[in-house]
Amino acid sequence: MLGSFDFDVIRRSLPYLFYEGMTFTLTLTALAALGGLIFGTAIALMRLSGYKTLGRIAGLYVDFMRSLPLVLVIFWFYFLVPYIGQWLTGASRPISVGAFASSLITFIMFEAAYFSEIMRAGIQSISRGQPAAASALGLSYAQTMRYVVLPQAFRNMLPVLLTQTIVLFQDTSLVYVLSIPDFLGAASKVAQRDGRLVEMYLFAAVVYFTISCIASFGVRRLQSRIAIIR
Amino acid sequence: MIEISHVNKWYSPTFQVLTDCTTSVTKGEVVVVCGPSGSGKSTLIKCVNALEPFQSGDISVDGTKVNDPKTNLPKLRSRVGMVFQHFELFPHLKIIDNLCLAQEKVLGRAHDKSVTKGMQLLERVGLKEQAQKFPAQLSGGQQQRVAIARALAMDPIVMLFDEPTSALDPEMVSEVLDVMVDLAREGMTMMVVTHEMGFARKVANRVIFMDRGEIVEDAPKDDFFGKPRSDRAQKFLSKILSH
């Protein structure tokens, strides 16, 4: 039965799949994780700040983002951002935002909600004596966060942050709704062009599985190493 | 140096932790604050560098009002050294970096100067060899000595100690107390919350006894240990000195 399959299509499309598709996927994953971490940390600090209004705004944002299907946000954002850009800049026509920029912004916004919850837990895991000791030495609030609290929170939460990044790596495949050739999109294109759906989707699954598995294994090893240091 | 006058603090409208506390610490004086747990002594000492807010009364340190909203608190705190019960070294930084962080970020000292200063102080507390280690690699007594060195690196005008030996194993208490005794004999102004009455007898000028948020007794050391005026102080002393 396997005789009717043509696995050579994979070999022939490898350069396209990896140079174009995987490069896009990994770039999007890395940038979205970085952006999400930065904005997520900012949101976490807003939620933990003494200012109620600021905390409530941040809380609403997180709840809002977590209550929507990611694919819907990607879709909405892609079609909406040009109009928002037009409205903000007062241009006569909708501003064209590339598919990459649009999906990157979407993922950063979406991931910020998740990363903020992780960082919030990380910050709360630091005993209150630490910021007290930093203040007692004369460090300002910003310095206390930057040099004392956040480095520890980040270190404590690194395994969770990386696990979330692996989820993000898989989620980036949703940009296929925008017809962007990420890894899955590229595989899908080849599959439909050559009529080799089973082979290509099987191969895509194997690649996602392998990368995620190796990454998870790496995170677990890191976790046990951190556990020894503490 | 430290003026505390009529300080009141409530945790909630019905729960008052400090009631009309008034006392002072003059330059070069060593004042020991003691009392049963929950009597507000730690809270009082934390009010001195505004780690704890209070609702009424005044505290000033070297003429600067702590509870004035216009006071530059980080600047004031950088001149008031504080040592905590649980050391609170920064676990992600090496010992020497623990000593350098605030010197560089708050006082703006150059890195090599703060390292030199830090090493001098580590030598003084007998821990020069541990400079490149992380806090978790040190014993409790060593960590607390590092914490004292870290506070001294800021060239403080006064040192506050919040139960510095309460979290230590018994055999490590004396190494920390020795450092504190040296400091007191050099003329450092100190306010010390502690149950170590041996330390109080050795170097304190005055002893303050607190109970239920009030300063019950504020007397020169010899008067306090000789004939405490209040019943509560007598009871407290008989309990902790009986063995």
Side-chain angles (χ1 to χ4, degrees):
Chain A
M1 180 197 141
L2 275 171
S4 61
F5 289 134
D6 170 22
F7 284 100
D8 194 51
V9 66
I10 296 168
R11 192 191 56 75
R12 277 182 274 123
S13 56
L14 275 183
Y16 173 63
L17 285 178
F18 279 91
Y19 284 131
E20 300 239 341
M22 193 48 88
T23 308
F24 181 95
T25 295
L26 290 178
T27 313
L28 183 60
T29 305
L31 291 179
L34 191 68
L37 180 64
I38 293 167
F39 280 98
T41 305
I43 293 168
L45 288 176
M46 280 169 74
R47 283 194 92 166
L48 293 172
S49 75
Y51 305 102
K52 277 213 173 90
T53 330
L54 213 57
R56 204 160 293 163
I57 293 170
L60 272 176
Y61 175 84
V62 171
D63 289 341
F64 180 69
M65 276 298 171
R66 296 213 299 185
S67 321
L68 291 174
L70 177 52
V71 69
L72 190 69
V73 182
I74 294 171
F75 231 178
W76 261 95
F77 217 74
Y78 185 59
F79 293 112
L80 213 60
V81 162
Y83 292 99
I84 295 174
Q86 180 191 15
W87 178 66
L88 282 178
T89 57
S92 55
R93 281 186 298 135
I95 305 237
S96 83
V97 180
F100 178 72
S102 166
S103 54
L104 179 61
I105 295 170
T106 313
F107 273 102
I108 289 177
M109 286 176 59
F110 203 81
E111 288 306 313
Y114 286 88
F115 279 123
S116 81
E117 287 298 278
I118 298 172
M119 284 309 285
R120 188 161 74 119
I123 293 168
Q124 283 175 327
S125 75
I126 311 292
S127 81
R128 283 183 59 189
Q130 287 284 307
S135 313
L137 284 165
L139 293 165
S140 65
Y141 174 80
Q143 287 173 324
T144 300
M145 283 297 156
R146 179 167 164 203
Y147 299 113
V148 176
V149 176
L150 289 180
Q152 291 185 59
F154 179 75
R155 208 164 294 199
N156 292 353
M157 288 294 129
L158 192 57
V160 191
L161 290 168
L162 288 173
T163 305
Q164 178 65 26
T165 305
I166 296 172
V167 175
L168 167 66
F169 166 71
Q170 293 160 13
D171 282 352
T172 54
S173 61
L174 288 173
V175 295
Y176 92 99
V177 296
L178 304 181
S179 313
I180 295 175
D182 73 315
F183 183 72
L184 183 64
S188 170
K189 266 186 191 162
V190 174
Q192 274 156 31
R193 185 194 63 197
D194 296 357
R196 293 289 170 194
L197 299 173
V198 177
E199 294 90 329
M200 290 312 288
Y201 284 129
L202 195 64
F203 178 64
V206 168
V207 170
Y208 275 109
F209 177 80
T210 312
I211 294 178
S212 300
C213 244
I214 293 173
S216 299
F217 180 70
V219 172
R220 264 203 299 280
R221 282 200 50 175
L222 181 82
Q223 208 161 10
S224 56
R225 268 189 57 193
I226 289 178
I228 291 168
I229 294 169
R230 307 197 96 234
Chain B
M1 186 64 75
I2 301 175
E3 293 291 337
I4 301 173
S5 67
H6 306 293
V7 168
N8 287 287
K9 178 179 169 69
W10 289 265
Y11 276 136
S12 70
T14 53
F15 182 36
Q16 188 163 11
V17 271
L18 295 176
T19 309
D20 199 31
C21 292
T22 301
T23 188
S24 64
V25 181
T26 56
K27 196 170 185 321
E29 204 176 18
V30 177
V31 174
V32 163
V33 184
C34 63
S37 61
S39 59
K41 49 199 191 311
S42 283
T43 310
L44 180 67
I45 203 171
K46 280 179 181 154
C47 285
V48 172
N49 63 353
L51 284 184
E52 291 270 3
F54 50 93
Q55 281 79 24
S56 76
D58 283 308
I59 295 180
S60 68
V61 176
D62 197 28
T64 310
K65 234 167 120 182
V66 172
N67 49 315
D68 186 341
K70 287 191 282 274
T71 298
N72 181 348
L73 276 182
K75 194 175 171 198
L76 175 79
R77 286 169 177 152
S78 72
R79 303 173 66 206
V80 178
M82 184 154 201
V83 175
F84 295 82
Q85 183 176 2
H86 296 286
F87 332 135
E88 302 300 350
L89 297 180
F90 305 133
H92 60 300
L93 297 177
K94 285 180 184 162
I95 297 302
I96 186 66
D97 296 329
N98 263 278
L99 270 77
C100 289
L101 179 67
Q103 288 189 66
E104 289 167 27
K105 304 301 173 195
V106 179
L107 303 179
R109 268 187 201 145
H111 181 65
D112 52 343
K113 276 197 181 141
S114 53
V115 170
T116 313
K117 175 103 188 165
M119 289 308 287
Q120 276 171 5
L121 286 163
L122 282 179
E123 187 164 16
R124 175 182 171 162
V125 297
L127 295 168
K128 204 176 164 193
E129 297 73 31
Q130 320 290 339
Q132 298 304 319
K133 288 191 180 163
F134 284 93
Q137 295 169 289
L138 270 55
S139 72
Q142 289 175 324
Q143 287 192 48
Q144 193 62 299
R145 278 144 69 198
V146 172
I148 295 173
R150 180 176 71 176
L152 291 175
M154 303 296 284
D155 297 320
I157 52 171
V158 54
M159 287 283 286
L160 309 175
F161 293 84
D162 183 11
E163 304 206 29
T165 55
S166 302
L168 294 175
D169 291 336
E171 76 269 24
M172 292 170 183
V173 169
S174 66
E175 65 187 69
V176 172
L177 289 179
D178 287 346
V179 173
M180 290 169 61
V181 168
D182 284 348
L183 207 55
R185 292 201 168 133
E186 281 166 29
M188 174 62 80
T189 311
M190 292 161 69
M191 188 168 175
V192 186
V193 173
T194 186
H195 294 298
E196 298 293 337
M197 289 302 126
F199 172 81
R201 275 181 200 273
K202 215 184 238 174
V203 293
N205 299 106
R206 269 177 35 236
V207 179
I208 294 172
F209 174 75
M210 288 184 75
D211 192 19
R212 286 177 232 154
E214 285 173 81
I215 294 181
V216 179
E217 190 128 356
D218 183 348
K221 170 183 60 175
D222 294 332
D223 292 0
F224 182 79
F225 287 114
K227 43 169 178 31
R229 278 158 288 180
S230 69
D231 284 354
R232 284 189 274 179
Q234 279 175 13
K235 256 185 208 156
F236 176 76
L237 274 181
S238 70
K239 267 182 204 156
I240 60 169
L241 293 178
S242 62
H243 44 185

